[in-house]
Protein backbone atom coordinates (compact mmCIF):
# COMPACT_ATOMS: atom_id res chain seq x y z
CA UNK A 1 0.00 0.00 0.00
CA UNK A 2 2.76 2.39 0.93
CA UNK A 3 4.55 1.67 -2.31
CA UNK A 4 1.37 2.39 -4.27
CA UNK A 5 0.95 5.73 -2.50
CA UNK A 6 4.56 6.58 -3.06
CA UNK A 7 4.23 5.70 -6.74
CA UNK A 8 1.17 7.95 -7.11
CA UNK A 9 2.98 10.84 -5.46
CA UNK A 10 5.85 10.41 -7.84
CA UNK A 11 3.52 10.87 -10.80
CA UNK A 12 2.57 14.41 -9.85
CA UNK A 13 4.66 16.92 -11.80
CA UNK A 14 6.92 19.03 -9.68
CA UNK A 15 6.73 22.80 -9.53
CA UNK A 16 8.98 25.08 -7.58
CA UNK A 17 8.69 28.68 -6.48
CA UNK A 18 10.22 29.98 -9.70
CA UNK A 19 7.79 28.20 -11.98
CA UNK A 20 4.43 29.26 -13.29
CA UNK A 21 1.13 27.56 -13.79
CA UNK A 22 -0.14 27.68 -17.34
CA UNK A 23 -3.53 26.95 -18.86
CA UNK A 24 -5.58 27.50 -21.98
CA UNK A 25 -8.43 29.96 -21.97
CA UNK A 26 -11.11 30.31 -24.61
CA UNK A 27 -12.10 33.88 -25.49
CA UNK A 28 -13.50 35.32 -28.68
CA UNK A 29 -11.01 38.18 -28.69
CA UNK A 30 -8.56 40.18 -26.60
CA UNK A 31 -11.31 42.41 -25.27
CA UNK A 32 -13.11 39.46 -23.75
CA UNK A 33 -9.83 37.97 -22.60
CA UNK A 34 -8.83 41.18 -20.84
CA UNK A 35 -12.15 41.23 -18.99
CA UNK A 36 -11.47 37.90 -17.30
CA UNK A 37 -10.29 37.27 -13.78
CA UNK A 38 -9.40 33.95 -12.25
CA UNK A 39 -10.09 32.45 -8.86
CA UNK A 40 -7.98 29.54 -7.71
CA UNK A 41 -8.60 26.67 -5.38
CA UNK A 42 -5.83 24.73 -3.67
CA UNK A 43 -6.81 21.30 -2.42
CA UNK A 44 -10.45 22.20 -2.94
CA UNK A 45 -10.39 25.44 -0.96
CA UNK A 46 -10.84 28.84 -2.50
CA UNK A 47 -7.67 30.84 -1.92
CA UNK A 48 -8.34 34.01 -3.87
CA UNK A 49 -8.01 35.75 -7.19
CA UNK A 50 -4.89 35.21 -9.22
CA UNK A 51 -2.74 38.30 -9.55
CA UNK A 52 -0.50 39.19 -12.46
CA UNK A 53 -2.06 36.78 -14.91
CA UNK A 54 -0.48 37.10 -18.32
CA UNK A 55 -2.30 35.80 -21.38
CA UNK A 56 -1.02 35.62 -24.91
CA UNK A 57 -1.72 33.96 -28.20
CA UNK A 58 -4.50 34.20 -30.72
CA UNK A 59 -8.24 33.82 -30.46
CA UNK A 60 -10.02 31.79 -29.47
CA UNK A 61 -7.58 29.57 -27.56
CA UNK A 62 -5.27 31.78 -25.54
CA UNK A 63 -2.46 30.72 -23.26
CA UNK A 64 -2.36 32.14 -19.75
CA UNK A 65 0.23 31.98 -17.00
CA UNK A 66 0.43 32.99 -13.37
CA UNK A 67 2.55 32.34 -10.33
CA UNK A 68 1.00 31.05 -7.13
CA UNK A 69 2.79 32.01 -3.95
CA UNK A 70 2.74 30.63 -0.44
CA UNK A 71 2.29 26.98 -1.24
CA UNK A 72 3.50 24.43 1.23
CA UNK A 73 5.75 21.60 0.19
CA UNK A 74 3.96 18.48 -0.89
CA UNK A 75 1.28 17.26 -3.23
CA UNK A 76 -1.65 19.60 -3.98
CA UNK A 77 -4.42 20.10 -6.47
CA UNK A 78 -5.15 23.32 -8.35
CA UNK A 79 -8.52 24.24 -9.80
CA UNK A 80 -9.35 27.44 -11.66
CA UNK A 81 -12.52 29.40 -12.31
CA UNK A 82 -12.67 32.21 -14.83
CA UNK A 83 -15.17 34.98 -14.23
CA UNK A 84 -16.30 38.24 -15.75
CA UNK A 85 -19.14 40.68 -15.21
CA UNK A 86 -21.63 38.17 -16.58
CA UNK A 87 -20.83 35.28 -14.31
CA UNK A 88 -18.27 32.58 -13.77
CA UNK A 89 -17.19 29.44 -15.54
CA UNK A 90 -17.35 26.09 -13.92
CA UNK A 91 -14.31 24.71 -12.13
CA UNK A 92 -11.49 23.36 -14.19
CA UNK A 93 -10.42 19.77 -13.96
CA UNK A 94 -8.23 19.45 -10.84
CA UNK A 95 -4.54 19.60 -11.65
CA UNK A 96 -2.39 17.55 -9.31
CA UNK A 97 1.17 18.65 -8.68
CA UNK A 98 3.96 18.46 -6.17
CA UNK A 99 5.29 21.71 -4.82
CA UNK A 100 8.90 21.90 -3.85
CA UNK A 101 10.14 25.18 -2.50
CA UNK A 102 13.37 26.09 -4.20
CA UNK A 103 16.22 26.47 -1.79
CA UNK A 104 18.21 29.57 -2.47
CA UNK A 105 21.93 29.90 -1.95
CA UNK A 106 21.27 32.14 1.00
CA UNK A 107 19.53 29.30 2.76
CA UNK A 108 22.80 27.52 3.15
CA UNK A 109 24.47 30.41 4.89
CA UNK B 1 -34.54 49.73 -4.80
CA UNK B 2 -36.75 51.98 -6.81
CA UNK B 3 -39.09 50.20 -9.15
CA UNK B 4 -40.07 51.33 -12.59
CA UNK B 5 -43.82 51.20 -12.74
CA UNK B 6 -46.47 51.03 -15.39
CA UNK B 7 -50.19 51.11 -15.22
CA UNK B 8 -52.69 49.93 -17.77
CA UNK B 9 -55.80 52.01 -17.99
CA UNK B 10 -58.02 48.96 -18.34
CA UNK B 11 -56.31 47.05 -15.58
CA UNK B 12 -55.24 49.99 -13.49
CA UNK B 13 -56.70 48.58 -10.32
CA UNK B 14 -55.38 45.12 -10.96
CA UNK B 15 -51.88 45.23 -12.29
CA UNK B 16 -48.79 47.21 -12.33
CA UNK B 17 -45.38 45.96 -13.11
CA UNK B 18 -42.07 47.34 -12.06
CA UNK B 19 -38.91 45.93 -13.48
CA UNK B 20 -35.54 45.82 -11.80
CA UNK B 21 -32.69 43.39 -11.95
CA UNK B 22 -31.27 41.39 -9.10
CA UNK B 23 -27.54 41.52 -9.48
CA UNK B 24 -26.61 43.02 -6.18
CA UNK B 25 -26.66 46.65 -7.14
CA UNK B 26 -29.19 49.41 -6.95
CA UNK B 27 -30.29 49.57 -10.54
CA UNK B 28 -32.08 52.87 -10.14
CA UNK B 29 -28.84 54.53 -9.14
CA UNK B 30 -26.58 52.82 -11.64
CA UNK B 31 -24.98 55.13 -14.15
CA UNK B 32 -25.01 52.63 -16.99
CA UNK B 33 -27.01 49.62 -18.08
CA UNK B 34 -26.28 46.66 -15.81
CA UNK B 35 -24.64 43.52 -17.10
CA UNK B 36 -26.83 40.45 -17.25
CA UNK B 37 -25.77 36.85 -17.69
CA UNK B 38 -27.61 33.56 -17.90
CA UNK B 39 -27.34 33.05 -14.16
CA UNK B 40 -29.05 36.34 -13.30
CA UNK B 41 -32.70 36.91 -12.57
CA UNK B 42 -35.06 39.63 -13.63
CA UNK B 43 -37.21 40.82 -10.77
CA UNK B 44 -40.12 43.20 -10.49
CA UNK B 45 -42.95 44.25 -8.22
CA UNK B 46 -46.43 43.08 -9.02
CA UNK B 47 -49.67 44.38 -7.61
CA UNK B 48 -52.58 42.02 -7.31
CA UNK B 49 -55.34 40.89 -4.96
CA UNK B 50 -53.51 37.82 -3.65
CA UNK B 51 -50.22 36.02 -4.03
CA UNK B 52 -52.04 33.19 -5.79
CA UNK B 53 -53.49 35.65 -8.26
CA UNK B 54 -50.17 37.27 -9.20
CA UNK B 55 -48.53 33.88 -9.41
CA UNK B 56 -51.20 32.86 -11.90
CA UNK B 57 -50.64 35.85 -14.18
CA UNK B 58 -48.91 35.27 -17.47
CA UNK B 59 -45.84 37.50 -17.78
CA UNK B 60 -44.49 38.47 -21.15
CA UNK B 61 -41.39 40.38 -22.14
CA UNK B 62 -40.99 42.49 -25.25
CA UNK B 63 -37.40 42.62 -26.43
CA UNK B 64 -35.96 45.69 -28.12
CA UNK B 65 -39.30 47.12 -29.13
CA UNK B 66 -40.73 43.90 -30.51
CA UNK B 67 -44.46 43.96 -31.09
CA UNK B 68 -44.83 40.34 -30.09
CA UNK B 69 -44.11 39.34 -26.54
CA UNK B 70 -42.47 36.16 -25.27
CA UNK B 71 -43.81 34.42 -22.22
CA UNK B 72 -41.56 34.21 -19.20
CA UNK B 73 -41.51 30.66 -17.91
CA UNK B 74 -40.72 29.77 -14.33
CA UNK B 75 -41.83 33.04 -12.73
CA UNK B 76 -42.01 32.85 -8.96
CA UNK B 77 -43.70 35.44 -6.79
CA UNK B 78 -43.41 35.92 -3.05
CA UNK B 79 -44.76 38.24 -0.40
CA UNK B 80 -47.59 38.63 2.04
CA UNK B 81 -49.28 41.67 0.59
CA UNK B 82 -49.35 43.68 -2.57
CA UNK B 83 -47.04 44.61 -4.17
CA UNK B 84 -45.63 41.11 -4.45
CA UNK B 85 -42.09 40.39 -5.57
CA UNK B 86 -41.68 38.31 -8.70
CA UNK B 87 -38.61 37.07 -10.46
CA UNK B 88 -37.55 34.79 -13.25
CA UNK B 89 -34.29 33.45 -14.59
CA UNK B 90 -33.02 35.48 -17.49
CA UNK B 91 -33.72 34.00 -20.91
CA UNK B 92 -30.81 33.77 -23.30
CA UNK B 93 -30.33 36.84 -25.44
CA UNK B 94 -27.85 37.83 -28.10
CA UNK B 95 -24.75 39.40 -26.62
CA UNK B 96 -24.90 43.15 -26.37
CA UNK B 97 -27.22 45.93 -25.20
CA UNK B 98 -30.95 45.35 -25.01
CA UNK B 99 -34.12 46.80 -23.62
CA UNK B 100 -37.15 44.90 -22.42
CA UNK B 101 -40.60 45.78 -21.23
CA UNK B 102 -42.90 43.49 -19.27
CA UNK B 103 -46.60 42.88 -19.19
CA UNK B 104 -48.81 40.87 -16.89
CA UNK B 105 -51.98 39.23 -18.10
CA UNK B 106 -54.95 37.62 -16.45
CA UNK B 107 -58.28 36.47 -17.77
CA UNK B 108 -59.27 40.16 -17.81
CA UNK B 109 -56.56 41.04 -20.31
CA UNK B 110 -52.97 42.17 -20.64
CA UNK B 111 -51.49 45.19 -18.90
CA UNK B 112 -49.68 47.92 -20.74
CA UNK B 113 -45.95 47.47 -21.12
CA UNK B 114 -43.71 48.52 -18.27
CA UNK B 115 -41.10 51.21 -18.57
CA UNK B 116 -38.20 49.90 -20.66
CA UNK B 117 -35.39 48.29 -18.73
CA UNK B 118 -31.98 48.50 -20.36
CA UNK B 119 -29.21 46.00 -19.83
CA UNK B 120 -26.18 44.49 -21.52
CA UNK B 121 -26.30 40.74 -22.01
CA UNK B 122 -23.19 38.61 -22.04
CA UNK B 123 -21.93 35.19 -21.24
CA UNK B 124 -19.65 33.98 -18.50
CA UNK B 125 -16.26 32.71 -19.68
CA UNK B 126 -15.40 29.17 -20.61
CA UNK B 127 -13.73 26.88 -18.12
CA UNK B 128 -9.93 27.17 -18.00
CA UNK B 129 -8.43 23.96 -19.33
CA UNK B 130 -5.18 22.11 -19.80
CA UNK B 131 -3.57 23.36 -16.61
CA UNK B 132 0.14 22.65 -16.64
CA UNK B 133 3.44 23.70 -15.17
CA UNK B 134 5.54 26.21 -17.05
CA UNK B 135 9.17 25.77 -16.10
CA UNK B 136 11.13 28.95 -15.72
CA UNK B 137 14.85 28.47 -16.28
Amino acid sequence: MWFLLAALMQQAPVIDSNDLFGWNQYAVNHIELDSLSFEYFIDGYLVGTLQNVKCDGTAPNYTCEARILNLSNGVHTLELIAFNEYGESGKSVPFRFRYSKQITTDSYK
Amino acid sequence: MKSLLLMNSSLRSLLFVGCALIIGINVAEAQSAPNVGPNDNFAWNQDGPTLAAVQAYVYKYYLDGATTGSVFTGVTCTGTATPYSCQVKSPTFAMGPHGITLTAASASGESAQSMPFSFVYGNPPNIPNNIRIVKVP
Side-chain angles (χ1 to χ4, degrees):
Chain A
M1 186 69 179
W2 169 251
F3 294 110
L4 181 60
L5 184 61
L8 285 172
M9 290 176 73
Q10 288 297 321
Q11 291 175 357
V14 176
I15 186 169
D16 65 37
S17 50
N18 278 339
D19 298 332
L20 303 166
F21 287 95
W23 66 94
N24 292 105
Q25 182 63 49
Y26 178 95
V28 293
N29 53 38
H30 261 288
I31 295 172
E32 181 184 356
L33 185 70
D34 291 344
S35 74
L36 302 184
S37 298
F38 300 89
E39 286 183 331
Y40 69 106
F41 298 73
I42 296 295
D43 301 330
Y45 294 97
L46 174 63
V47 179
T49 302
L50 284 176
Q51 304 297 317
N52 300 317
V53 176
K54 292 180 180 175
C55 295
D56 205 353
T58 55
N61 195 24
Y62 293 94
T63 300
C64 299
E65 295 176 346
R67 179 170 281 118
I68 296 178
L69 305 173
N70 301 322
L71 290 168
S72 60
N73 284 340
V75 176
H76 301 284
T77 59
L78 169 67
E79 296 163 287
L80 296 177
I81 284 178
F83 66 95
N84 61 14
E85 62 267 40
Y86 302 109
E88 60 184 34
S89 72
K91 267 188 190 177
S92 66
V93 174
F95 176 72
R96 193 165 169 274
F97 63 96
R98 172 190 289 277
Y99 183 79
S100 175
K101 192 170 187 177
Q102 192 172 63
I103 301 170
T104 63
T105 310
D106 289 344
S107 301
Y108 291 110
K109 292 179 181 175
Chain B
M1 184 179 292
K2 182 180 177 182
S3 294
L4 308 174
L5 305 178
L6 80 93
M7 296 182 74
N8 179 310
S9 57
S10 63
L11 297 173
R12 192 179 298 273
S13 62
L14 180 62
L15 304 174
F16 65 92
V17 180
C19 180
L21 184 68
I22 294 181
I23 55 172
I25 63 171
N26 187 332
V27 174
E29 295 175 0
Q31 295 300 306
S32 58
N35 297 315
V36 178
N39 297 323
D40 294 321
N41 287 352
F42 288 104
W44 62 94
N45 294 337
Q46 180 64 53
D47 263 8
T50 65
L51 176 60
V54 299
Q55 184 67 71
Y57 293 160
V58 174
Y59 297 96
K60 286 185 179 179
Y61 64 93
Y62 294 76
L63 182 67
D64 300 331
T67 54
T68 303
S70 301
V71 175
F72 269 138
T73 56
V75 174
T76 57
C77 298
T78 58
T80 56
T82 193
Y84 298 94
S85 297
C86 299
Q87 62 179 284
V88 66
K89 197 171 188 64
S90 172
T92 300
F93 300 108
M95 289 180 67
H98 295 286
I100 60 167
T101 57
L102 303 186
T103 65
S106 69
S108 304
E110 185 177 7
S111 73
Q113 294 181 23
S114 69
M115 294 281 289
F117 179 78
S118 298
F119 61 96
V120 179
Y121 190 83
N123 289 314
N126 283 36
I127 299 173
N129 66 88
N130 189 27
I131 299 177
R132 57 195 176 273
I133 292 170
V134 178
K135 286 290 179 186
V136 176

